């Protein structure tokens, strides 16, 4: 019979309809069954899915389908992270309401995702912009406010003076608003904050103790973001033009051992002392205003030119007769430590740049790491620096040349890379790690002499959740001049957004609404106003995984549901969310636990971060970016399709609209089918690495799936009936085919569990090649072929589910792979080779390899090794003094 062509369009639509009618992917709580919760980071409804979505959701779907076949009760839901600025920007640009824009995009993207054949439980679908979702977010916020986990304070923000709104750090580009291009200012606004810092140590410890199934790089990124530092408070006595002041300047430092090298003190422009001095110093006030025209992010501050303003104050060094000038500097952050530093130019590039700009001394504190010891001349020069100004020790009255002398008593061997070594001259050689001993000795001295104390600091800052925009969850509080801040009563939730808003005026539309913000105070009944800020959209994504467990409940969660489903067993998403989203979700889960909404501390037991999807870039002769569909490749050359003009082929980069190197998944699915897109996403590279999208790769995936269909279609009619028992007596060819099948089952099962999807694909390729090469007609070969083809359909089901269902049906089955059929089990006896290759060494050198039956007796293995001609030549006629046999691995002959 003629081989039929696999019609993916009809097949994919058919099986998607069958799955939907059967409710194949609906999840129900069942304590009698083991659960498995698979979740990909939910998308923002921008209007169209992109290749990053295809890869992300394919990876999660493979796990969900495999676990379901392996007997788990799988929940695999989908929803929409639906609040955010893009909808508001669309409203401004297109004069469409953000809600209309958002829900239209959701409908479009839902259809696109369904066309991928994902095993999603759409009955649990949520959209975070719906009042039925955010009413619970408002309730939990009020509970946390009552518990003292929420507070309001003034903080510095990026302010766009044209759009009259706060900008996130990412929206400040070269010091200007990303949309208005206006110079961004720093402005102090009242903002709402979560006390995430209260959980800093808990969040840090759990990274090490509870999240072993997270990538090490993500745990390290969070550890660095939390930024636990052992250091010291140091108090510097201040003096002005008239002499000593009563004030002291407190500084936090992680390196008190470098105090010898201090050459200046610096304050943040927003330090209280800087504010006090600026009140009577117009030049300083102008300098602070200049600093406020730089973004608030650490990156913006780090990239800015280092500038300072020298005040009339000086700080007294704790143990050297040195006066340290006090500057106000634009690179000192107010929200870390005390907002003040001491500068050590010899140990910090930023401090060195500053010192050179303002002609400040650079004092060496550490000798550069090298192998040689200091010369006598170097020792004398070093000591002379401090002998000129001897310091009397309070502790014992002995002359001390520097703080090195204090730490020098703790000698640690040079070979220990975790500590430090001091030479007799007082030089320290730093070796690959923080000089722990020196720091502790310095802290000990500071505490003993009343100049400071040891302390722990965290880089982590409290989470500011206020945003001055319309399209977000309203913050449920009311401001009353009499009563102050009043929570909205629980029975009045949700506080819904007004629909009749306009976007003509810059700023927050909620501020401009004529009626919405004006309410009666719930306490006194007097005139009051609603909070017009809305929540940061990270709020919605910090608990959505819990809402999926009971998405229609009248309470945020139902304990029986979340206690069964949480934590998420496998979370999949981009590494770009490694810090903020994942850290906020971990914190929010703890807050929900305190409120009795969940029982777990950690939301995601397992995390996988996939690589990006990349494509080469194209430019025409004018430098304009071109879409791939506008370019025709011919080897290493390319021209435009419309005018045959030359095209410059650029490097492969992450797909982005700005560079037009994007491929529309809808087009790929239309031309090749969803299974082809899925197979290519899984086969080309390890999923944690970037994927290079190529037309040839997609065509190759399509051709392979056609091969698989032809393989099954050609063989199906000659196979034994479904359910026919395997004969007891099989030919060697049939046995070897069975062995290949069961090795593939074992390997693919292990690869999927480890996210080695590309390896699983390679094993399936090998099995297909083996089946196509099999031309035996020996006894039992058709039974072994049926087993192999059925196993093939089962193994590809998580990856190419439409084709797998069609293969299963063509093989004569009436059951539904996605819901009715268990994962194949490998026969352990068939995964072991009957013969093994054993190495033979003579006096430690490899001289031969021999093939022996597995588990050959040691004396037989020895005899076979000694009989090998190559071994006999190597022995040169000498007798074996000793023969060591390692079963199934090696024979070592000693002559």
């Amino acid at each position: 019979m003629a081989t039929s062509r696999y019609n993916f369009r009809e097949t994919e639509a058919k099986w998607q309809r069958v799955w939907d009618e059967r409710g194949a992917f609906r999840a129900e709580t069942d304590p009698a069954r083991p659960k498995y919760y698979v979740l990909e980071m939910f998308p923002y409804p921008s209007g169209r899915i992109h290749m990053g979505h295809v890869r992300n959701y394919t990876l999660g779907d493979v796990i969900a389908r495999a676990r379901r076949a392996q007997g788990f009760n799988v929940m695999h839901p989908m929803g929409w992270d639906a609040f955010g600025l893009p909808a508001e920007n669309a409203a401004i640009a297109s004069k469409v309401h953000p809600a209309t824009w958002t829900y239209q995009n959701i409908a479009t993207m839902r259809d696109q995702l369904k066309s991928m054949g994902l095993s999603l439980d759409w009955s649990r679908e949520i959209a975070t912009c719906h009042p039925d979702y955010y009413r619970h977010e408002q309730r939990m916020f009020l509970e946390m406010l009552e518990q003292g986990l929420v507070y309001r304070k003034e903080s510095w923000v990026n302010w766009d003076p044209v759009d009259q709104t706060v900008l996130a750090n990412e929206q400040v580009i070269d010091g200007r608003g990303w949309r208005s291009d206006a110079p961004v200012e720093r402005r102090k606004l009242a903002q709402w904050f979560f006390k995430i810092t209260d959980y800093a140590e808990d969040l840090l410890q759990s990274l090490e103790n509870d999240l072993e199934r997270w990538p090490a790089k993500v745990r390290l990124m969070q550890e660095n973001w939390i930024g636990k530092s052992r250091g010291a408070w140091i108090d510097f006595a201040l003096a002005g033009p008239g002499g000593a002041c009563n004030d002291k300047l407190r500084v936090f430092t992680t390196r008190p051992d470098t105090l010898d090298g201090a050459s200046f003190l610096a304050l943040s422009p927003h330090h209280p002392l800087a504010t006090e001095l600026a009140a009577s110093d117009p030049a300083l006030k102008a300098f602070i205003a200049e600093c406020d025209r730089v973004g608030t992010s650490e990156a913006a501050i780090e990239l800015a030119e280092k500038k300072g303003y020298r005040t009339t104050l000086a700080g007294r060094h704790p143990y050297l007769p040195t006066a340290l000038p006090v500057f106000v500097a634009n690179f000192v952050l107010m929200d870390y430590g005390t907002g003040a530093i001491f500068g050590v130019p010899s140990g910090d590039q930023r401090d060195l740049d500053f010192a050179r700009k303002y002609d400040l001394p650079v004092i060496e504190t550490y000798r550069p790491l090298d192998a040689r010891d200091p010369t006598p001349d170097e020792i004398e020069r070093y000591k002379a620096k401090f002998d000129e100004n001897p310091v009397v020790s309070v502790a014992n009255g002995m002359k001390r040349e520097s703080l090195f002398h204090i730490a020098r008593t703790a000698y640690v061997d040079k070979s220990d890379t975790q500590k430090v070594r001091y030479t007799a001259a007082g030089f320290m050689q730093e070796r690959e790690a923080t000089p722990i001993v020196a720091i502790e000795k310095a802290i000990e001295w500071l505490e003993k002499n009343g100049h400071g104390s040891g302390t722990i600091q965290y880089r982590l800052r409290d989470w500011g959740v206020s945003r001055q925009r319309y399209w977000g969850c309203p913050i449920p509080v009311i401001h009353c001049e009499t009563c102050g801040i009043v929570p909205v009563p629980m029975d009045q939730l949700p506080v819904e957004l007004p629909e009749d808003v306009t976007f003509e005026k810059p700023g927050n539309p909620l501020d401009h609404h004529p009626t919405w913000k004006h309410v009666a105070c719930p306490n006194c009944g007097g005139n009051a106003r609603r909070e017009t800020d809305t929540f940061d959209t990270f709020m919605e994504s910090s608990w959505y995984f819990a809402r999926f467990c009971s998405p229609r409940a009248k309470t945020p969660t139902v304990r029986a549901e979340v206690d069964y489903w949480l934590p998420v067993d496998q979370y999949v998403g981009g590494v770009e969310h490694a810090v903020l989203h994942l850290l906020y979700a971990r914190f929010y889960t703890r807050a929900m636990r305190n409120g009795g909404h969940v029982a777990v501390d950690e939301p995601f037991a397992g995390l996988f971060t996939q690589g990006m999807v990349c494509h080469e870039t194209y430019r025409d002769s004018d430098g304009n970016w071109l879409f791939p569909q506008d370019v025709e490749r011919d080897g290493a050359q390319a021209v435009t399709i419309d005018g045959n003009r030359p095209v410059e082929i650029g490097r492969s980069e992450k797909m982005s609209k700005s560079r037009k190197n994007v491929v529309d998944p809808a087009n790929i699915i239309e031309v090749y089918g969803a299974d082809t897109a899925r197979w290519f996403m899984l086969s080309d590279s390890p999923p944690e690495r970037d994927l290079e999208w190529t037309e040839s790769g997609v065509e190759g995936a399509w051709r392979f799936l056609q091969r698989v269909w032809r393989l099954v279609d050609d063989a199906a009619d000659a196979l034994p009936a479904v359910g026919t028992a395997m004969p007891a007596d099989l030919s060697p060819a049939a046995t070897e085919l069975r062995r290949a099948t069961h090795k593939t089952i074992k390997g693919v099962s292990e690869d999927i569990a480890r996210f080695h999807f590309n390896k699983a694909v390679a094993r399936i390729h090998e099995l297909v090649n083996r089946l196509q090469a099999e031309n035996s007609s020996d006894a039992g070969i058709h039974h072994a072929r049926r087993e192999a083809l059925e196993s093939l359909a089962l193994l590809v089901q998580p990856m190419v589910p439409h084709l797998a269902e069609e293969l299963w049906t063509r093989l004569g089955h009436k059951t539904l792979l996605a819901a009715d059929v268990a994962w194949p089990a490998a026969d352990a006896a068939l995964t072991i080779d009957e013969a093994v290759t054993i190495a033979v060494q003579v006096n430690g050198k490899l001289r031969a390899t021999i093939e022996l039956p597995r588990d050959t007796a040691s004396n037989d293995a020895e005899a076979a090794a000694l009989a090998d001609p190559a071994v006999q030549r190597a022995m040169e006629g000498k007798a074996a003094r000793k023969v060591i046999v390692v079963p199934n691995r090696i024979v070592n002959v000693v002559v």
Side-chain angles (χ1 to χ4, degrees), residues 593-604:
R593 175 203 61 196
N594 293 349
H597 298 293
V598 298
V600 298
D601 294 340
E602 292 293 344
F604 313 118

Side-chain angles (χ1 to χ4, degrees), residues 868-879:
D868 187 89
V871 173
Q872 290 179 352
R873 287 194 298 271
M875 294 174 65
E876 297 178 343
K878 299 175 184 176

Side-chain angles (χ1 to χ4, degrees), residues 796-836:
V796 300
Q797 184 267 140
M799 306 170 190
V800 286
H802 312 88
L803 174 61
E805 295 281 10
E806 197 71 6
L807 296 176
W808 194 244
T809 300
R810 183 68 183 92
L811 289 168
H813 292 276
K814 306 299 182 183
T815 49
L816 191 63
L817 269 187
D820 304 329
V821 185
W823 189 254
D827 185 332
L830 291 172
T831 62
I832 301 172
D833 288 323
E834 290 187 337
V836 293

